[in-house]
């Protein structure tokens, strides 16, 4: 069992750290939110007053932060963790951030002989709680092999996508596709209902037909069609519109840099941006259904 420091105990990081504690690791946690820290301490984790103190003596540091600027603030500069961590400490960042930001942190880590992995996740809050996340890792094969037994306590599928930044590239491709599928599914359901169809019956037909996809199978956006999904609790909890908008922005910026054409991704980004601008940023992303006025 390893001595692990976990920083960023939000919707995802909280249950991920909790699964590390349950697996028997010696876990020290840190977050700016005292309540988030207290919840983990009540489950058996230790804590400290600062991120540096929390990371002191750790064999592995894991971060799960909102965006690139938070990751840079925690790791880089004279006050950053990489300035003080000893060589050989395994560092894993599971936040979803731009590939070039991950590469920048990896470069600073490499100069100090600190193995670094970008390891963003897929599977949402449900997957984080159940310990069934998919980890998509970028970094050396050696760092990946070192991290795998630790990631196994939080996930079911652990992929090595390639070198530094590759985990983030694969993650933003996946989320761009997810946004396209969710908005397309919402549009198709709204059209059927406009024609008098029952959304549950239409969903079942499309699931068994060529339009079947993840949004229909496990995350139906129409309220009341599926139990236990955000659409059936006023789109509360889940994966926020603000975070999906951030990820679509990462995909867009990446496409511009690489002169790639993403017409569907750009449209999805505009739809989610419009939806966020109408005050829906803190709802689950399946609330994009409301843009088609089903209620
Ligand atoms: P969140 O906002 O719920 O949690 C982030 C946590 O980081 C908060 O508790 C915050 O207090 C803490 N934090 C911020 N700055 C900090 C600092 N300097 N030091 C210590 N703690 C700090 O976010 P989340 O939903 O847990 O998402 C985290 C990351 O995972 C994001 O990059 C997101 O895109 C990605 N992600 C989220 C989901 C999801 O379903 N929520 C799914 C996959 C990936």
């Amino acid at each position: 069992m390893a001595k692990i420091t976990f920083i960023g105990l939000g919707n995802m990081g909280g249950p991920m750290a909790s699964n590390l504690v349950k697996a028997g690791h010696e876990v020290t946690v840190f977050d700016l939110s005292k309540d988030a820290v207290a919840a983990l301490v009540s489950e058996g984790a230790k804590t400290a007053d600062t991120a540096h103190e929390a990371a002191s003596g750790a064999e592995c540091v894991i971060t799960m932060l909102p965006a690139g600027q938070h990751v840079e603030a925690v790791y880089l500069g004279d006050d950053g963790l990489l300035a003080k961590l000893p060589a050989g400490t395994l560092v894993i960042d599971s936040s979803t951030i731009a590939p070039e930001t991950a590469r920048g942190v990896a470069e600073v880590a490499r100069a100090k002989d600190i193995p670094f992995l970008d390891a963003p996740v897929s599977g949402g809050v449900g997957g984080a709680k159940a310990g069934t996340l998919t980890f998509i890792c970028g970094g050396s094969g050696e760092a990946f092999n070192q991290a795998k037994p630790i990631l196994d306590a939080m996930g079911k599928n652990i992929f090595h996508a390639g070198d530094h930044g590759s985990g983030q590239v694969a993650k933003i491709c996946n989320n761009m596709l997810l946004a396209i599928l969710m908005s397309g599914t919402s549009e198709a359901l709204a059209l059927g209902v406009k024609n008098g169809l029952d959304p549950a019956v239409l969903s079942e037909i499309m699931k068994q037909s060529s339009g079947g996809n993840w949004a229909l199978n496990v995350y139906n956006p129409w309220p009341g069609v599926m139990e236990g999904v955000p659409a059936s609790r006023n789109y509360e909890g889940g994966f926020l519109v603000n975070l999906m908008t951030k990820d679509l922005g990462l995909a867009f910026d990446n496409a511009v840099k690489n002169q790639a054409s993403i017409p569907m991704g750009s449209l999805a980004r505009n739809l989610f941006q419009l939806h966020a601008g109408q005050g829906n940023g803190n709802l689950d992303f399946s609330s994009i259904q409301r843009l088609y006025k089903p209620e």
Side-chain angles (χ1 to χ4, degrees):
M1 289 299 129
K3 274 186 91 173
I4 301 171
T5 295
F6 202 109
I7 300 175
L9 307 167
N11 290 320
M12 296 293 288
M16 289 165 72
S18 173
N19 282 328
L20 290 173
V21 174
K22 284 183 197 131
H25 292 292
E26 196 182 315
V27 183
T28 304
V29 297
F30 181 74
D31 194 291
L32 301 177
S33 154
K34 298 258 179 289
D35 289 348
V37 170
L40 261 295
V41 169
S42 75
E43 293 185 28
K46 291 181 193 154
T47 188
D49 288 339
T50 65
H52 277 288
E53 282 174 35
S56 161
E59 293 162 279
C60 171
V61 174
I62 303 176
T63 41
M64 190 55 165
L65 299 162
Q69 69 265 30
H70 307 96
V71 174
E72 288 181 328
V74 166
Y75 286 117
L76 304 182
D78 293 343
D79 292 336
L81 289 183
L82 291 178
K84 294 221 177 110
L85 284 176
T89 313
L90 175 64
V91 173
I92 303 170
D93 176 47
S94 282
S95 327
T96 302
I97 62 174
E100 57 274 19
T101 308
R103 287 185 202 113
V105 177
E107 204 160 303
V108 176
R110 184 162 34 212
K112 299 204 64 194
D113 281 333
I114 291 173
F116 175 83
L117 275 186
D118 46 295
V121 301
S122 178
V125 177
K129 286 184 180 158
T132 56
L133 290 170
T134 295
F135 281 87
I136 314 164
C137 305
S140 72
E142 213 181 348
F144 176 77
N145 291 335
Q146 213 183 330
K148 185 149 184 321
I150 293 171
L151 302 182
D152 278 336
M154 301 179 282
K156 196 169 68 170
N157 297 301
I158 320 290
F159 290 108
H160 187 201
D163 205 354
H164 297 297
S166 305
Q168 299 294 352
V169 173
K171 168 70 185 172
I172 60 181
C173 291
N174 179 73
N175 275 25
M176 182 179 80
L177 178 59
L178 172 62
I180 293 166
L181 290 173
M182 188 56 85
S183 30
T185 298
S186 302
E187 189 171 310
L189 286 170
L191 179 63
V193 170
K194 270 252 180 256
N195 281 271
L197 268 66
D198 177 336
V201 173
L202 176 59
S203 293
E204 212 43 47
I205 292 167
M206 294 196 293
K207 268 162 78 173
Q208 305 305 331
S209 306
S210 45
N213 69 78
W214 186 88
L216 274 173
N217 287 342
V218 302
Y219 216 95
N220 197 298
W222 197 280
V225 169
M226 196 174 265
E227 277 178 28
V229 294
S232 293
R233 46 171 197 267
N234 283 324
Y235 301 107
E236 271 156 25
F239 182 48
L240 304 189
V241 169
N242 279 340
L243 287 178
M244 178 55 101
T245 307
K246 176 199 73 165
D247 292 357
L248 288 165
L250 293 174
F252 186 83
D253 291 346
N254 188 276
V256 170
K257 278 191 192 92
N258 289 291
Q259 297 183 320
S261 178
I262 53 159
M264 303 291 284
S266 305
L267 181 54
R269 179 184 178 228
N270 276 311
L271 289 172
F272 277 94
Q273 192 69 61
L274 178 67
H275 189 49
Q278 290 174 350
N280 301 303
N282 287 321
L283 295 180
D284 178 73
F285 81 113
S286 63
S287 64
I288 195 73
Q289 182 71 75
R290 284 189 176 162
L291 213 53
Y292 301 90
K293 298 209 182 310
E295 290 161 288

